Amino acid sequence: MGKDTLSITDNRTGKSYEVPIANGTIKAMDLRQIKASEDDFGLMTYDPAFTNTASCQSKITFIDGDKGILRYRGYPIEQLADKCTYLEVAYLILFGELPTKSQLDDWVKNITHHTFVHENIKKFMDGFHHDAHPMGMLVSTVGALSTFYPDSRNFRDPVNRLKQTYRLIGKMPTLAAFAYRHSLGMPYVYPDNDLGYAENFLSMLWRMSEPKYKPNPVLAKALDVLFILHADHEQNCSANAMRAVGSSHTDPYSACAAAVAALYGPLHGGANQEVLEMLAEIGSKDRVPEFIKKVKAGERLLMGFGHRVYKNYDPRARIIKETADKVFAVTGKNPLLEIAIELERIALEDDYFVKRRLYPNVDFYSGIIYQAMGFPVDMFTVLFAIPRTSGWIAQWQEMLLDPEQKIARPRQVYLGYDKRDFVPMEKRSEKILAEAGVR
Ligand code: CMC
């Protein structure tokens, strides 16, 4: 075994450098010493979309994308989904260990006691249009929590951080349920602190005049399992947003609003909604080959397929498929399932997908379950945001406590004009907007 270093020869100057390798990485800053001339800034790496750049060291979630492995704090996702509740997993993700009985009781009690929101939140919720997307409402209302808890800026105090953690995990389902009730024009339902985390969420969504809402235990359990599967996923787009925004030392509610906004996009959490819309558009099993043709021609994306990290079956998709059977035993089968299974079958045999290593991801089957459970399509991404909150907080906290972290501020490769002289108005071009394609 040789040395843990990398030798680099700069062919511009003929000089050689040796930089250390640790954990399969070199430090980008070690390249700065490589200069073509005295006044050169020094070498940088260019990596749009961070496809090959580790932005942090983390102990929270491990993914082996080639093998299809996902672990939270070392525990395989399959075991956690089988044996834990979501709040137990949230504790694990945040504190690094599974809770004892008394730790769990305390944790659940504290989160449950933070499920209520300030009455004023109802007022600004009312200001949204009746057809406002619930993710848009969630982005705004989570961000607005920062105005209710200005003490949350004191992030250096661990007790204070824990309090914001209770609040965020506790209030997220309440905000989500209020957004849903608003879209129906129905009165908001307050949290029921006798119920479990997923059960209480279902109660806030669907309770009508009955004094106590009793969710179907199979559906509540299925939702809890789905929450576990969505709790964290290392440095994805929204976790990166949470870390980047939090690195400016803003409060956790504002950083969380940024994370929710990132999740909203169709290439991230918004994909579960797009999958359902795609399946509905395909409409029947016999139209699957025609759709696949369009995907291969580059006209469409097969939503719910492909992943930046997984180049194998997403282990979450496998568990979701099993959960679907339990849900359908209660709700009856979602007719779109047949189309999804046919899409998967054809895609997994097709050279286009095989060559690119495109497999179903977490979003491919989750929407089919959500729809069977009675959720409208635009609530799907909200169902992702609720459980991901624990992951976002864990990522935020890890970033704050890491002495190597600073405000996130990437470099750029500047390709614009060199210095040029001011152009008076009468000499400016009319062509600019046409060239930008807007006129
Ligand atoms: N359908 C068709 N072709 C695809 C797809 C797809 N879903 N995904 C990737 N490809 C092709 C892509 O066009 C490229 O082909 P080529 O090499 O000929 O240019 C190749 O596969 C590699 O893809 P990429 O775009 O370089 O991969 P990426 O890592 O940048 O993107 C992704 C990952 C998830 C954004 C992408 O696979 C995608 O857009 N999938 C559909 C949206 C989706 O399901 N998103 C949910 C992701 S999982 C949950 C989450 O993160 O929230």
Side-chain angles (χ1 to χ4, degrees):
M1 179 80 175
K3 280 202 289 181
D4 279 337
T5 62
L6 178 72
S7 296
I8 303 168
T9 303
D10 184 347
N11 293 323
R12 298 171 302 179
T13 59
K15 278 197 198 165
S16 288
Y17 304 82
E18 190 169 339
V19 296
I21 298 176
N23 302 313
T25 62
I26 59 163
K27 287 201 166 150
M29 275 307 280
D30 284 343
L31 301 179
R32 187 70 73 75
Q33 60 182 311
I34 303 175
K35 298 184 179 196
S37 61
E38 256 319 294
D39 58 355
D40 185 3
F41 180 76
L43 203 64
M44 295 191 293
T45 56
Y46 174 58
D47 187 8
F50 298 127
T51 51
N52 196 37
T53 294
S55 64
C56 63
Q57 300 188 344
S58 183
K59 293 182 175 167
I60 303 169
T61 292
F62 172 78
I63 302 174
D64 183 328
D66 284 329
K67 297 197 181 115
I69 289 173
L70 169 62
R71 297 184 197 129
Y72 299 154
R73 302 284 188 181
Y75 293 105
I77 189 68
E78 294 80 4
Q79 292 182 19
L80 296 172
D82 187 38
K83 297 185 191 320
C84 291
T85 62
Y86 166 70
L87 284 186
E88 204 176 347
V89 170
Y91 184 102
L92 168 73
I93 285 175
L94 278 149
F95 301 106
E97 295 297 338
L98 284 164
T100 63
K101 168 89 174 70
S102 70
Q103 285 167 340
L104 182 62
D105 289 348
D106 242 31
W107 172 243
V108 171
K109 187 177 119 217
N110 279 314
I111 291 193
T112 307
H113 283 192
H114 284 87
T115 49
F116 276 72
V117 291
H118 195 287
E119 283 293 288
N120 283 354
I121 287 177
K122 290 195 325 203
K123 291 190 199 150
F124 56 73
M125 195 64 93
D126 283 344
F128 287 107
H129 205 42
H130 68 93
D131 59 357
H133 196 289
M135 280 298 276
M137 290 193 252
L138 199 61
V139 171
S140 328
T141 48
V142 170
L145 288 180
S146 78
T147 64
F148 293 86
Y149 307 113
D151 59 318
S152 62
R153 283 195 165 239
N154 183 12
F155 63 87
R156 288 187 210 283
D157 173 7
V159 178
N160 189 296
R161 279 202 309 274
L162 184 58
K163 195 162 183 189
Q164 313 318 323
T165 302
Y166 294 146
R167 285 175 174 155
L168 265 167
I169 297 178
K171 293 180 201 312
M172 204 67 155
T174 314
L175 296 177
F178 279 20
Y180 173 71
R181 298 286 289 206
H182 173 76
S183 67
L184 297 180
M186 305 241 280
Y188 304 117
V189 177
Y190 287 111
D192 179 343
N193 286 353
D194 292 337
L195 297 175
Y197 192 74
E199 289 175 321
N200 171 50
F201 178 52
L202 294 175
S203 162
M204 290 188 291
L205 290 174
W206 289 322
R207 185 166 146 200
M208 298 301 291
S209 59
E210 64 272 42
K212 195 132 189 106
Y213 182 82
K214 283 205 183 68
N216 181 302
V218 176
L219 301 188
K221 174 68 192 157
L223 188 60
D224 205 61
V225 169
L226 284 156
F227 281 178
I228 292 172
L229 301 183
H230 286 88
D232 192 55
H233 212 231
E234 54 122 300
Q235 305 312 311
N236 53 80
C237 181
S238 56
N240 184 56
M242 182 85 190
R243 279 180 176 258
V245 174
S247 76
S248 74
H249 292 178
T250 187
D251 65 90
Y253 304 100
S254 303
C256 194
V260 178
L263 189 74
Y264 193 178
L267 296 188
H268 191 8
N272 54 17
Q273 171 167 350
E274 303 264 332
V275 170
L276 248 278
E277 286 163 1
M278 173 188 78
L279 295 175
E281 180 194 325
I282 296 171
S284 62
K285 221 170 112 177
D286 54 303
R287 294 187 55 200
V288 167
E290 187 191 324
F291 186 81
I292 294 273
K293 225 179 190 174
K294 285 188 192 154
V295 172
K296 288 165 66 174
E299 291 164 28
R300 299 295 297 266
L301 273 179
L302 177 49
M303 299 310 288
F305 256 69
H307 199 275
R308 172 64 58 79
V309 182
Y310 291 120
K311 300 301 168 198
N312 199 328
Y313 213 99
D314 182 334
R316 300 168 300 172
R318 209 183 294 281
I319 301 170
I320 288 180
K321 232 173 146 182
E322 290 160 17
T323 308
D325 293 335
K326 293 178 192 155
V327 169
F328 295 151
V330 175
T331 62
K333 218 175 222 160
N334 184 335
L336 296 180
L337 180 68
E338 221 192 13
I339 303 172
I341 289 177
E342 181 67 358
L343 261 177
E344 181 187 332
R345 190 187 67 75
I346 296 189
L348 293 185
E349 284 173 359
D350 192 294
D351 217 36
Y352 175 95
F353 299 90
V354 174
K355 246 186 20 219
R356 290 171 177 77
R357 304 184 70 188
L358 301 171
Y359 291 87
N361 60 48
V362 70
D363 294 316
F364 193 65
Y365 286 106
S366 60
I368 297 176
I369 306 188
Y370 294 147
Q371 194 177 52
M373 287 171 79
F375 292 105
V377 172
D378 62 5
M379 277 297 282
F380 291 1
T381 314
V382 171
L383 294 167
F384 193 151
I386 293 170
R388 183 54 62 87
T389 303
S390 56
W392 289 330
I393 302 168
Q395 298 285 347
W396 168 73
Q397 183 154 267
E398 190 176 66
M399 177 274 302
L400 290 173
L401 299 179
D402 180 347
E404 286 197 340
Q405 288 291 341
K406 294 175 175 216
I407 185 165
R409 204 301 183 186
R411 294 279 176 178
Q412 65 169 10
V413 177
Y414 177 70
L415 298 177
Y417 289 107
D418 248 346
K419 179 172 178 289
R420 53 181 181 156
D421 280 333
F422 180 78
V423 181
M425 194 168 283
E426 63 279 8
K427 295 205 171 147
R428 293 176 199 169
S429 166
E430 288 287 350
K431 285 192 241 150
I432 302 297
L433 290 179
E435 279 166 11
V438 291
R439 205 180 268 169

